[in-house]
Amino acid sequence: MSIDTLLKRYEAAGQAHLFKFWAKLTPEQQKDLQTQLEVLDIERVNRIYAKAVGSEEGALSPTTASSLIEPLPKDSTDTVRDPAKVKEWRHLGLQAIARGEVGVLLMAGGQGTRLGSSAPKGCYDIGLPSHKSLFQYQAERIARLQTVAEEEASKPAGSVIIPWYVMTSGPTRRDTEDFFKKNNYFGLDPKNVIFFEQGTLPCLTNDGKVILETPSRVAVAPDGNGGLYAATRTPLTQGKPDTVLSDLAKRKILYVHAYCVDNCLVRVADPVFLGYSIQKQADCATKVVPKNYPTESVGIVVRRGSKFSVVEYSEISKEQAELRDKETGELVYRAANIVNHFFTTAYLNRVESFEDELAFHIARKKIPYVDLETGETIKPAKPNGMKLEMFVFDVFPFSEHFHVLEVERREEFSPLKNAPGTGSDDPETSRRDLLSQHKRFLEHAGAQVKDGVEIEISPLVSYAGEGLEGVKGKTFQKSGLVESVEELDALA
């Protein structure tokens, strides 16, 4: 595209200020800026801004909003409390995995900034005896689950594959791929680990003008974990047509488990959740955990009007937050969102048809910018603009068959959000929760574990407590790392 044509396009969009320093740029800088502006769909950016601001301005007051929120219908929810149901769902899920119908989407675009690390969060070591990263734990769960599914369906070793689609971001793409290569993909076949990248959107001033970070570069930010959907339609390699959606189709994947990298307890491609969702014929489903207490600051899955939705805790009134079921005594609004979802591939393909109806959320931030008069870079002391992002749960209201499975928090949810020593959702709590689970695995299998003894069981040994029958009657008195069932004997 010629520079004159590009300039006219941006003038028509009201964004011609991006060319303010054009004449002063070097030919190389001009080329970089032109490339960035050609790729940017500026008309879409203007539409997104208008819809986001309109949605924000038209937002209901908390009082009015809370009156539209209803508890989840009984027929759309279930729990893992019934062992017979869990066994049935697990079998259904393992059969689907064995047939090659299941894929996994990992949202791993974040950096470990809050943890004091510039590396991708999935590279983080929470301090386990093995010093395995979050990525390694999840990879090994996939490897083990493939074996479990083979055994369940009497299939030969190595015949079951669960493809892993790892969504990175611009800042984490290279480091993530390098980490996997350096670690030999943690034993998985590289052909079945597919990296792709979430999109970005330009940062905007409060009146919708695109912010220049430098005279030759637009300020951009990732478009949120809801960018997952557009990213699945974006070519995996520039200039080639293959996308995540086309790869899913080529592999004949029918069901997808999507989750966030920072949960050390996540059951990747959980056969119980898959089987539940398949049995219910859900096109979209989500796992939740019960809220710990009425005022816990978590998003809650509810009905709003006739649709399912995730609402912030601030959108629920105090009376609603404290409301309890008369029969069970449980909180009525207790379904805490843990970013753990099921989709049919048909539903993922349908998202494009209603994506324009989704309003992006506005996050007001301090965004460095270049002064258009002086050309100096300014680092603001208070928020001066906005980043626009979509959330992965924004598609819930469009589901035609939505279901919710409540699971135990201590077994499935321990997020890594905060710096070491914070005391909640930090590396120490993640480590504690994972090792506590491994102790329960052994005790459930009939062993005793002495107080103070910490045993880490590799995911390659047991995905969710299975395969440990040989420990029945044993007492474990030594701490240690177990990379094979036989190594347990040395700790008894």
Side-chain angles (χ1 to χ4, degrees), residues 127 249 305 432:
R432 176 201 70 199

Side-chain angles (χ1 to χ4, degrees), residues 291 293-300 312-314:
K291 283 175 76 172
Y293 48 90
T295 56
E296 187 179 5
S297 303
V298 290
I300 302 296
E312 295 301 323
Y313 59 94
S314 56

Side-chain angles (χ1 to χ4, degrees), residues 246-264:
S246 72
D247 195 77
L248 287 166
K250 186 168 64 179
R251 294 172 185 263
K252 299 181 180 176
I253 302 294
L254 301 180
Y255 313 109
V256 169
H257 177 223
Y259 70 96
C260 198
V261 74
D262 64 4
N263 176 14
C264 70

Side-chain angles (χ1 to χ4, degrees), residues 177-185:
E177 290 198 42
D178 287 348
F179 191 70
F180 272 73
K181 286 173 187 169
K182 179 184 170 186
N183 289 282
N184 298 313
Y185 292 80

Side-chain angles (χ1 to χ4, degrees), residues 99-117:
R99 290 192 298 268
E101 296 172 351
V102 174
V104 172
L105 284 173
L106 166 60
M107 290 167 273
Q111 292 170 291
T113 312
R114 281 199 218 168
L115 306 169
S117 168

